[in-house]
């Protein structure tokens, strides 16, 4: 039997929009309280749900990113808190990337795989995140403000 | 044919399961959107079979399975799992769930699993 994929694409876009809104709200909550149990649980469940829906429709880049985010939130759930602002920043970046991918589906644009460095940072042990984020920021800062070379 | 309760917080998944199993002649008697509703609707509707998502708000699918089976040991529950949930599926099976189906759902596999579970339950 075959399923009506156009119908499920429409439902996906509606539910994903709701989920992304809830995730954004949850992250703002965690910005105030890193150990907020409810926003941590919300982020885990919403990432899980987006992963399952996206996988059902063959949106692999979304499923991959949501899966990595779900795994990350599983670790956060076990720890009982987001470790620090560096880990929170990774989660904000992941949400932003998910939003962009869902927008691509809505606009019927081709889905591009998630940025590999983001996937790596999501998968990294949380103690490595601060160092990785610092390295990324330093690299970005160097690119934006190259050192003057004396002639 | 069986009277089925679908428990999943995602409308997407509930509709997909409905669309897969209704043509097989099964009747969807209810839809629960969280673990608490799943337990309440099970008591109210006494379905022949429940498809139970694992990750749900208010009460997880595994907690709901344990709660239902504590009062109704012969309840026929099939877990809906996803990649990376192997240990949770094991926990649900050990708690008394009959079998599991894996997301993304393959219609033929879902139908075959429910058929097998319902035949064993007869």
């Amino acid at each position: 039997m075959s399923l009506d994929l156009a119908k499920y694409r429409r439902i996906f876009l509606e539910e994903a929009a709701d989920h992304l809104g809830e995730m954004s709200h949850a992250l703002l909550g965690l910005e105030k309280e890193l150990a907020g149990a409810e926003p941590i649980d919300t982020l885990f469940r919403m990432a899980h749900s987006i992963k399952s829906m996206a996988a059902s429709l063959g949106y692999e880049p979304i499923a991959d990113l949501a899966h990595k985010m779900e795994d990350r939130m599983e670790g956060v759930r076990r720890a009982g808190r987001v470790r620090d602002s560096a880990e929170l920043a990774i989660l904000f970046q992941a949400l932003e990337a998910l939003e962009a991918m869902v927008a691509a589906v809505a606009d019927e644009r081709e889905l591009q795989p998630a940025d590999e460095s983001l996937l790596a940072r999501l998968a990294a042990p949380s103690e490595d995140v601060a160092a990785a984020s610092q390295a990324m920021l330093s690299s970005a800062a160097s690119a934006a403000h190259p050192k003057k070379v004396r002639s | 044919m069986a009277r089925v309760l679908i428990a999943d917080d995602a409308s997407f998944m509930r509709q997909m399961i409905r669309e897969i199993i209704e043509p097989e002649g099964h009747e969807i008697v209810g839809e629960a959107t969280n673990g608490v509703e799943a337990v309440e609707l099970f008591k109210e509707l006494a379905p022949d079979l429940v498809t139970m998502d694992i990750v749900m708000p208010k009460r997880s699918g595994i907690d709901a399975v344990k709660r239902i089976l504590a009062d109704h040991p012969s309840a026929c529950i099939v877990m809906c799992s996803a990649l990376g949930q192997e240990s949770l599926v094991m926990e649900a099976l050990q708690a008394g769930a009959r079998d599991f189906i894996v997301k993304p759902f393959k219609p033929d596999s879902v139908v075959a699993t429910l058929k097998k579970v319902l035949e064993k339950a007869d």
Side-chain angles (χ1 to χ4, degrees):
Chain A
M1 75 176 289
S2 61
L3 300 170
D4 179 355
L5 292 182
K7 179 178 93 173
Y8 285 102
R9 175 183 172 276
R10 199 166 53 244
I11 302 171
F12 168 76
L13 288 171
E14 287 169 9
E15 291 208 30
D18 287 347
H19 289 359
L20 292 170
E22 283 194 55
M23 291 168 89
S24 175
H25 188 71
L27 279 176
L28 292 173
L30 287 174
E31 214 169 23
K32 293 177 190 151
E33 168 54 66
L34 292 174
E38 197 174 322
I40 288 171
D41 188 56
T42 297
L43 283 163
F44 171 76
R45 284 189 295 102
M46 299 294 103
H48 171 80
S49 188
I50 289 174
K51 174 193 79 174
S52 296
M53 290 190 289
S56 299
L57 290 168
Y59 300 150
E60 297 305 332
I62 299 180
D64 285 348
L65 177 57
H67 192 179
K68 290 278 189 315
M69 196 170 185
E70 177 192 9
D71 285 349
R72 183 88 204 186
M73 291 313 300
E74 174 69 43
V76 170
R77 267 207 323 187
R78 278 200 299 270
R81 56 171 289 142
V82 174
R83 183 186 169 94
D84 51 24
S85 58
E87 185 165 39
L88 194 60
I90 300 285
L91 295 171
F92 269 112
Q93 287 160 20
L95 176 62
E96 200 175 315
L98 274 179
E99 287 170 339
M101 287 178 171
V102 172
V105 172
D107 297 343
E108 299 186 0
R109 282 182 278 121
E110 190 179 348
L111 273 174
Q112 300 299 324
D115 176 47
E116 283 196 19
S117 72
L118 173 59
L119 294 177
R121 275 177 282 133
L122 272 173
S126 59
E127 56 268 30
D128 293 345
V129 167
S133 296
Q134 188 57 49
M136 185 185 70
L137 286 173
S138 301
S139 163
S142 299
H145 305 287
K147 286 177 184 171
K148 288 179 183 169
V149 178
R150 288 182 184 172
S151 55
Chain B
M1 289 296 112
R3 300 170 66 254
V4 178
L5 169 64
I6 300 172
D8 199 309
D9 58 329
S11 161
F12 182 102
M13 291 300 166
R14 294 197 305 274
Q15 291 199 43
M16 194 167 267
I17 293 174
R18 176 184 284 274
E19 195 167 327
I20 291 170
I21 68 177
E22 269 186 341
E24 300 300 311
H26 300 306
E27 180 191 1
I28 309 303
V29 292
E31 294 186 7
T33 60
N34 60 59
V36 171
E37 264 184 31
V39 174
E40 287 171 357
L41 285 178
F42 185 90
K43 284 181 194 164
E44 186 185 324
L45 302 168
D48 301 318
L49 184 140
V50 184
T51 64
M52 182 79 77
D53 187 27
I54 291 178
V55 177
M56 288 193 288
K58 295 188 180 175
R59 182 172 218 159
S60 77
I62 292 183
D63 282 351
V65 167
K66 289 176 180 171
R67 182 65 256 165
I68 290 170
L69 288 169
D71 293 337
H72 308 274
S74 61
C76 209
I77 305 174
V78 172
M79 305 307 294
C80 302
S81 74
L83 189 66
Q85 293 187 313
E86 292 78 6
S87 63
L88 293 172
V89 171
M90 282 303 297
E91 188 181 345
L93 293 175
Q94 282 164 359
R98 301 293 177 91
D99 212 324
F100 63 95
I101 50 181
V102 181
K103 300 175 200 171
F105 296 132
K106 292 186 174 67
D108 292 346
S109 170
V110 171
V111 168
T113 301
L114 298 199
K115 185 168 183 275
K116 182 178 72 177
V117 167
L118 287 165
E119 280 172 357
K120 278 189 186 173
D122 280 342

